[in-house]
Amino acid sequence: KNTLIYPNQFKEDYCNQLIILSPRTNCRNTPRISTQAVFLGGIKPDYTKILRYDDGRNPTLNYYTSEVEQTDMLNNIVKNLLKENYRYEDITILSFISEKKSLVAKIISNNKGLPFSFFNRDNSIFCTSIRKFKGLENLVIIITDIINMDEEKSKSLLYVGITRSIDRLFMLASNQNSV
């Protein structure tokens, strides 16, 4: 299965001379993060090798039953990462849904806790949606507000979010998801 940004019909209709190259080497993700992306995202890239070494740390998928529980999980993950000497700038929180509806937007509006920001990447934890962060990366990615993991569009979006992580990956999903 080819990982195409544009379907073949688009290519035929608008870009007949377009050459599509498939990536052969994963330079960004650890083997365990890459495996998680394939498993949850349902997309199988044509990688022949992964350059990053296996650091032995598995991505984490936690299920929450309420917004309060998701908030507690997020705060605990960040506090533990800070104890492991990650800096605020090393951590990015990606929402599965829009920024305005995200868990972090609610936390920011209540002026509670850690320095989350939708605008500032200096001395704060940068927060945005998966869609807005496509093509970018950070050492630690925390994906929040995961819903509807069974739908094809959701799997594709989750794949994008997972593959933004260089070193560590944490996912917070509604317990109504089935994996």
Side-chain angles (χ1 to χ4, degrees):
K1 184 176 177 182
N2 230 347
T3 53
L4 299 177
I5 296 173
Y6 302 105
N8 285 333
Q9 188 61 46
F10 180 86
K11 178 186 172 197
E12 290 171 14
D13 291 347
Y14 301 102
C15 307
N16 203 18
Q17 302 301 316
L18 182 67
I19 297 172
I20 297 177
L21 301 174
S22 295
R24 298 283 182 219
T25 303
N26 181 333
C27 302
R28 178 182 295 144
N29 310 121
T30 65
R32 292 172 193 239
I33 290 172
S34 182
T35 299
Q36 191 74 55
V38 170
F39 178 69
L40 292 177
I43 296 173
K44 177 81 172 96
D46 295 329
Y47 296 138
T48 55
K49 65 181 174 179
I50 297 172
L51 292 184
R52 301 283 314 280
Y53 69 96
D54 186 355
D55 60 10
R57 294 187 289 201
N58 287 317
T60 304
L61 174 60
N62 294 311
Y63 291 95
Y64 59 87
T65 57
S66 69
E67 188 175 290
V68 170
E69 187 176 18
Q70 183 180 201
T71 302
D72 290 342
M73 288 176 175
L74 176 61
N75 285 326
N76 287 332
I77 290 167
V78 171
K79 287 176 184 174
N80 287 330
L81 288 166
L82 294 172
K83 287 179 187 175
E84 293 177 31
N85 295 319
Y86 285 98
R87 300 169 305 145
Y88 291 138
E89 297 85 2
D90 298 331
I91 304 168
T92 298
I93 299 173
L94 301 179
S95 178
F96 199 73
I97 56 179
S98 71
E99 286 179 0
K100 291 178 184 176
K101 296 179 182 179
S102 71
L103 172 71
V104 174
K106 294 171 187 167
I107 293 171
I108 291 172
S109 70
N110 291 328
N111 292 322
K112 291 184 180 176
L114 297 160
F116 298 123
S117 176
F118 288 117
F119 308 106
N120 186 7
R121 293 184 187 202
D122 296 329
N123 205 28
S124 63
I125 298 169
F126 184 64
C127 308
T128 190
S129 69
I130 293 172
R131 285 179 179 88
K132 287 185 176 182
F133 204 69
K134 188 173 182 175
L136 302 174
E137 61 188 27
N138 204 353
L139 289 175
V140 178
I141 296 294
I142 304 170
I143 303 174
T144 62
D145 309 304
I146 300 173
I147 53 174
N148 302 325
M149 287 172 46
D150 296 341
E151 297 174 7
E152 204 59 37
K153 278 185 174 181
S154 295
K155 286 181 179 183
S156 178
L157 186 61
L158 190 55
Y159 179 88
V160 170
I162 290 170
T163 57
R164 303 304 91 207
S165 176
I166 295 173
D167 192 42
R168 301 289 298 276
L169 172 67
F170 300 88
M171 296 166 285
L172 302 177
S174 168
N175 70 344
Q176 296 174 357
N177 288 297
S178 62
V179 174

